[in-house]
Structures are given as C-alpha cells and as structure tokens.
Amino acid sequence: MTFVTRQPSLWEGYEEIISSDQYFETEQEAQSYDNEVRLAIQHKLVMEHGSCTKDTIPAAPNSTNGEGVTTDPPSKHPIDQSTFYSRPPLPSFRPSHIQTSTPRTRSTPHVPTPSTIGSILPAPRPPSTSRIPARQIDTPQAIPSPIDTPGSSTSAMIGGVEGVRGYGSGEGEGKGKRDDPSTPMPLGTAIFNKLKSRQDFQALTKHFDKFTKDFSKVTSEGKGEKMGSKKKMKGKIASVLLTKEKVFEGLRFCFPYEVNGARKNKTRWEIIAQMGGQVTIQPDTAITHVIHDSGRSASILANSLGLRSLSELPQGTVCVKWDWVAQCKLANRLLDTEQFLSFPKNSLTRNPTILSKAPSRMTDISEQLRAGQMKGKSLSISRKREPTASDSETQSPIKRPKMLLLPWTNVSVTKSVIVNVKASRSNEVHEGASNTNISNPGSSTMGVVQEIYNTKNVDTEHDLPSGPGWEDVPVKERDGLDEMISGVKGGIGVVPEDAVPNSSNPQEINTNLNPNPSANGWKCGQVNDGNPHESPNEWLAKKLDEMHDLYLGQTDKNPFSVRGYRRGIADRIDEFLTGSKGREYYENTEKAKTVCMFKDIYGVGKSFANELYRRGARTIEDLREKEYGLSKGQKIGVELYSDLISRIPRTECKQLYDLIRSSALDLDPMVWVEIMGSYRRGGVDSGDVDILITRDNSDGKTHKGLIKSLVNDLRKKGVITHEMSTPSDWTALETKWMGVGRVPGGKYRRIDILCIPFDQWGAALIYFTGNEIFNRSLRLYARKKGYSLNQRGLYIGVMRGPDGNKITEGEIVASKTEEDIFKILGIRWRHPHQRRP
DNA sequence: TCTCAAAATGAG
DNA sequence: CTCATT
DNA sequence: GAGA
Ligand SMILES: Cc1cn([C@H]2C[C@H](O)[C@@H](COP(=O)(O)OP(=O)(O)OP(=O)(O)O)O2)c(=O)[nH]c1=O
Ligand SMILES: [Mg+2]
C-alpha cells in the first residue's frame, strides 16, 4: 500500500526537530560555521555591485522609499548572525522544556529514521582530508615548467611585430629612449637581477616561459584549424585569435613583478597575446604600456620594475590599469587610456608621484612635469597640484580632515557601512507565529492527508507591517519556539553584545534582528567613537556607498581583487573630502550611477551596463528609443523596468502564489507547490516570487511535463505574461522557468518556478529558501567538512578540478529533508526566518 | 607566503 | 566559453 | 582580506 502525500500543511512541529540535542552544533562547529557566514558576507559584499545601486540612483517612481535606502531601518548588526550561529552547546536544554510549552510535539515534521542515513554515511563527520583527494592540483605554482632555464626568457615576443604606433612622443610616464620592439634592450637590469634571485620570481619566470611556449604552440596549431576535441582551452584561444582583431598589435605590455604574479596574471598575459600584444615581465626599451592597477605608489612600481624611477621607461610609456585592457577587449578597439591611468593625471587625492625614495626624485618630477606639459595628458603624476610636499603618504596638510575621520575608517566602520548597505535590502520580518514549516516528503507516517493549508501562514500577514513604520508593529506573540530559544539563550547567558535592550520582542534578541532603527546603532558608533549620533556615520555611509560604486563599477573581472577595499575606502574618504569637486570624481560618479542604473535592468549585468554606457546610452529612455542590441530578455527588462525594480508586497506575493498554486493543483491535485525565497523567510516584501513544485512519486506518477501546461494555463489566465528563460527540457523532472507575471491588472512581477524531483525536496527547500548568504555559508561549511551541497542534495566525494569543474559526482548522502542535511552537517535546523544572516 | 572565497542553470 | 541570474 |  502506498501513500501518496498531498502537500503537507506547513505548521508547527519544528519544535521537535530543533529540540533534539543533536541538532545543535558544538561550539566549534558553530564558530566554524559562523566564519563561513562572515566570509560569505564579506565576499558577497565585495562582489555585490548591486549593493550600491539602490542607494545611489534615484528611487523609482513607485519605489516605496523615496528618501533613499540608507534611511531604511538598518535592521541588523554585523555580528547578528554570529550570535545565533555561534551559540555554545546547550547542555541544560531538555526536550521537556518544549513539551511543557508546546504540548503538541507529537506529530509533525517527521524526522526520518536515521537508519538510512547511517547506512550510507557511517560517520556524520567524515575525515575530509583522507577521503577527499586534494583539489586544485593545477595551481600555477604546482605546474612543473617544461623549461628548466628560469630567467632565460623573461620576455616574450608574441603576435605580429609592427611599428609602434604613436608611442615615443611625449605621452606617459617614460622619458627614456625608445627602441624598436624587435630589438628591445632590457632596462634596470641591476635591480632586476636582484629580483631574479628570489624564489617566487623564479616561479614567475617559469610560468611565464610556460605561457609563452604554450601560446606559441597554440597559435601555430590554431592556424591549422579544427582543434581536437580534447584541448578546449587551446581551441578557444585559437578561435579567438582567428576571429578577433589584433587590437594590441605592435604594443608591448610589461607586467611588473608581483607576489604571486604568475597566477594572477596568467590569464592576462593570454588575453593580451590574443589581442596581438606582446607581453614581458621585464621592462625594456620597447614597452609601450605598463599594467599597473592602482594600489602601489609610483615609486614602488618603479621599484618592482627594477627601475629607480618611472622616468627611465621608454618615452611615452603609459601606466594603465588592467581595466583599460578589459575595456579594449570588450570594445574590440583601442580606447583612450585617460580614464584608466594607473595614476590619474588630475587626481587631487592620490599620491601617485614618483617619489621620495629615489635620489633623483626632484629631477624625475620636473622631467615629468615637462613631459606632461608637452602633451597635456597621460602623465601619471599629479602635476596639477604641488607635487613635492603634500603628496607624501606620511604627512600632508590636506589630509588633516582625514585624520579626524580616521577613527571611523577602521574595520568596524567599513563593516558597519557594509552592513548598512546590506540591511537596506533586507527587510524581512520576524513573525511571532511561525507556521511556515514545510514538512518532509516521504514521511508517510504522516499518513494523514492534511488540509492543503491551514490559514495560519496567511494570518501572519496581518502582523506584517506594510511600511517604513513597521518597527512600531508589535510582534503578536511568541510561540513555543521563541520561548524555547530565548529561554535557552538567556539560560546559557549568551546575550549578544548588540542585543537591543528596548526590544519588546524576545525573538528579536535571539536573532539579533532589530526592527527598530532608532535602537540600532552603527557598529562603529557603538564600538569606536562613543559618538551616539549616527548621522555622521550615516552620511559617511552614503558617501562610501557612492564610492563603492565607483570603485566596483569598472569591469574588473576578478571579484576577489578587492584589492585594498579597505584602503580604497580610506582613500576615497580622502578623495571626497579633498577633491570632491574634482572633475574626475564627478565624471566617475556620473558614470557609476548610470552604470548602476543599467545594471538594475533585468538581464543586464555589469559588463553590458558598462558597454551600454560606452555606447552612449545614459537613460532608460535611450534604451527604449534606440537600438543597442539588447537581447530578448533584456528588452523585457527595459520594457518593464519600473515595475520590476519595485518590490512586491507580501500580500501580492501571496496572491500570485495562490493563482499559481491553484492552477497547478487543477492540473494535478497531488503536486506540492510552495512559495519560497524571501517570502518563506518572512519578508515584508520580495523582489520576486519564487515557487517550488514537486510531487509525491510513491504512486509512480510524477509532475513531469506539468510546468508546460502550468505556464500555458497561467498565460491564458493573464497571470504569466513574459518568459525570460525556459527549461532546457520541459519534460524533465527538474525544470527552471523564469519569467514575468502579474495579478491581472497589477504590476508586472518577476516569477521563478522551480520543479524538482520529489526526493530532492529538502535540498531544494534549503536552496530556494536562502537567503543567498545563508546558502553560501552553508555550502562553504559543507565543503569544509568534505561535503558538497547544492540544490539537489548533500554529496560526499565530489572532486573538482582546478577550474572548479566537477570531476567526480560523488555520492549523495542526503536530500529528502532539510533536517537530514542539517543533521549530517552537524548544524541545527534553522527556521526559515532565521536564515538571513 | 599560500590558499580560499558556493554552486548551479540558461542565453547567446 | 562569458555573462547574467538563482 | 583573513587565516593556516
Ligand atoms: C541570488 C541567489 C539566490 N539564491 C537562492 C537563495 C534565495 O533565497 C533563492 C531565491 O533567490 P532570490 O529570489 O533572488 O532571492 P530572495 O527570494 O531571497 O530575495 P528577493 O527575491 O526578495 O530579492 O535562491 C542562491 O542560492 N544564490 C544566489 O546567488
Ligand atoms: Mg525571491
């Protein structure tokens, strides 16, 4: 006899799960997990260009917060997640607690019998080191060089050799003699030789040699066309070579010595070579460009080039940021370097002077001054201001204001700023009545077919505040879980240092989510300065947000090149204090704003946003009127821009959900349909509607093909209006549909529908519930334990290659229920509302 | 000084 | 493959 | 950019 379960009602029962001691991580685990959360957050923030967008561009007409997001409730502290993840063990905790407070623990979400788990996975914590072979076997450092004469070829001549165009005139840093690229003379050999002795430098040359060898091989092979299917990488390079113009033909790029430079720059070498440029790691008399992403002063740069000063470079040599190359590649033509100079000529704030340490400093400067006046551009030194004195890193009268602010510019400040940015997008709320637990599939002991939904989930909407004043809405009541958690917390004595004393809701304490902005000070305000006024910080935060834009707005590929995010912030504080009137600042901000706005278009990312700007687009209207080569989805994004940019009130999410669910149930009464994402986490509003669909397959039937009919039905009803991305296989068990729909007559809303095999319900719940940070944290945590977690399940034995490709599938150890997965990971199950670190 | 940073899908 | 997105 |  088989039980096919209808979608179980969400309701109480997670008390039981959470009550079991085994769901509580040890302190070590907690701390470890906490670390993952922090890492993920940091990483996310670095990468998240979008964090700036809402803050810097004017709110959309229908945006709920016209006054800018930074004034929104800063709902949490940087450490809030740590406090509920890093709770110490709970020795005093007894299930009896729950029993008394919540007597109805008997039934629900059936915790699956551990037997299955145990058989598959004997130890909850397998020794990852022994079971998982080393990954990343192919890091550059590990590649044995085929060439055993390090230093024999520190420069490579790749690509056609033409006359150097336009170089040798008064542009750029260099003042030295320029030679034909075919006969370059090494520069600065004395110091350079010193570098050569260093181990890592040898590694660099080694890999540079390998690179040159590989590449020349590729080019010759590539001419022959038809790559063997084996060498994809090389095939790609070759094909690019054949198709792309040689934008950099005749140019010669020098990559200054860097720590770990080989690994960092390998792909860059390849790119330049692909574009017809030459690459060298030793400056010589033929180089035309030095790739130098700002960060080090000119003197240090010179040093790493083995020069006493940059003026020794060939005349006209330009120090450019990598972004220039990236943009050239994107545009497939040479762009003006002016916006990409390593040492912007007009910067009032940087201190790019070729400085000090070199004895010939004065002459250097005057020389460069002259050179700069000749052409009036491309000079890296800040010659518009007093070059000698004020630009010293150590002392500068201009920087006095900065000193005042410096107490804020430490980690705490940046973090608090970051958190503010984050908090501004996170307006989920805790509901007192938490009935959003979704049961597990296959828990046939639940036998009873429960009524589709009890209304408690809906009831909570009444508690959901609708506007900015939501902090005034008292959370109605604490349920058993709240009581238990806060009790545990109090009993253990873990009171988060940022707990909000005046919070009326104990749950807030235990989650550290403080819905009351006035009670929620900035981290830096609390820790650093004892300055209770948050307005300066707020103001600073805004400014820094804008600058964060500017900083990340460029298409620098490597997301981890946070290079001096901190430093960057400090500098930019300085920048906007001292040089906010500067033309460059304005221009950059203007560009960043526009780019951010474009990036808000669905389907437009930072790459295309930059490209649009480059092509001259400045407003959304531009995109509507002229042709910019938008893709299908992007056109929808432009068309519905104002609707899609706004958030969806919870009630409307529910309406859409109900429409979708009823349509689905009409097609098959046994399907499970659940609304996920920020809604499940209790958000007051959502950016989109995330729907998860599956079906109990115990009777041999599945939801295969349902998505097609569902979409069709909904389209007929006028609920679904646009499709952006459709399943690769409509008949698969696992399908993802993304598009746009609306409550008929209402605004257009983004809708994601994910169908999944029944036995992946748990993993999919975790994935689709999020939030993003939570997922990444959990996945990182899993990875550190030797597992791999994805939307399908928790795996062990997954091996990945150097590029992150999966080499081994591994074996699945859990996927059916959330609890399975949390349990194996040794982490307690968390209520969706708690999954928003 | 080296290593790691989540993991996946779909469009083009 | 890159880009955008979840 | 933080930790081994
Ligand atoms: C964006 C993103 C989402 N997810 C998961 C977690 C999310 O909760 C879930 C749905 O994604 P989203 O709908 O993008 O995010 P959300 O629902 O949490 O928030 P909102 O819609 O209000 O903006 O997908 C990831 O795993 N990685 C990601 O990068
Ligand atoms: Mg969502």
Side-chain angles (χ1 to χ4, degrees), chain A residues 486-699:
Chain A
S486 47
V488 162
K489 284 210 147 213
I492 294 291
V494 177
V495 178
E497 60 274 22
D498 61 342
V500 183
N502 66 348
S503 166
S504 59
N505 179 9
Q507 194 178 32
E508 290 165 11
I509 292 176
N510 86 55
T511 61
N512 296 317
L513 181 79
N514 173 22
N516 186 347
S518 61
N520 195 1
W522 298 92
K523 182 66 178 165
C524 58
Q526 293 178 345
V527 169
N528 291 333
D529 45 43
N531 175 7
H533 317 297
E534 57 180 42
S535 46
N537 283 315
E538 213 167 309
W539 167 80
L540 182 59
K542 267 187 201 162
K543 289 298 172 197
L544 288 179
D545 279 354
E546 291 166 13
M547 294 180 176
H548 185 224
D549 256 12
L550 193 129
Y551 184 73
L552 291 179
Q554 302 172 357
T555 17
D556 194 314
K557 286 287 184 70
N558 180 5
F560 299 114
S561 87
V562 197
R563 197 200 319 260
Y565 182 71
R566 249 175 98 188
R567 196 204 114 266
I569 286 205
D571 274 9
R572 294 194 186 283
I573 290 175
D574 178 42
E575 175 172 344
F576 93 87
L577 282 176
T578 59
S580 57
K581 341 76 182 125
R583 195 180 93 241
E584 191 178 44
Y585 171 80
Y586 177 75
E587 280 176 0
N588 283 338
T589 301
E590 197 53 40
K591 176 182 178 183
K593 273 185 180 174
T594 312
V595 165
C596 273
M597 179 178 65
F598 288 155
K599 208 169 63 61
D600 272 350
I601 301 166
Y602 186 85
V604 176
K606 75 174 176 187
S607 180
F608 197 57
N610 276 279
E611 176 65 9
L612 284 173
Y613 185 90
R614 198 193 59 77
R615 292 186 197 174
R618 291 297 180 272
T619 64
I620 301 294
E621 286 308 314
D622 287 347
L623 302 179
R624 293 195 170 126
E625 288 155 11
K626 297 178 215 157
E627 182 54 55
Y628 285 96
L630 299 169
S631 77
K632 216 170 98 186
Q634 287 167 339
K635 280 181 178 148
I636 299 175
V638 170
E639 181 193 342
L640 308 177
Y641 178 78
S642 55
D643 273 5
L644 297 189
I645 207 175
S646 61
R647 292 187 69 82
I648 314 171
R650 189 176 176 89
T651 52
E652 193 179 337
C653 289
K654 178 68 161 58
Q655 289 180 310
L656 281 165
Y657 164 56
D658 285 338
L659 287 166
I660 294 167
R661 183 170 59 93
S662 61
S663 278
L665 289 173
D666 283 348
L667 290 164
D668 180 349
M670 302 311 290
V671 292
W672 295 18
V673 184
E674 192 47 66
I675 179 169
M676 310 293 296
S678 41
Y679 188 97
R680 188 177 183 229
R681 296 197 309 272
V684 278
D685 52 27
S686 298
D688 60 4
V689 177
D690 306 298
I691 304 288
L692 184 66
I693 296 179
T694 192
R695 184 196 192 279
D696 188 343
N697 57 2
S698 317
D699 59 355

Side-chain angles (χ1 to χ4, degrees), chain A residues 692-695 697 700-707 727 729-736 754-760 792:
Chain A
L692 184 66
I693 296 179
T694 192
R695 184 196 192 279
N697 57 2
K701 293 182 192 166
T702 66
H703 56 278
K704 190 180 273 210
L706 176 123
I707 182 69
D729 178 4
W730 287 87
T731 66
L733 226 45
E734 179 189 331
T735 51
K736 187 170 85 173
L754 188 65
C755 300
I756 49 122
F758 187 61
D759 55 5
Q760 293 173 9
R792 290 187 263 274

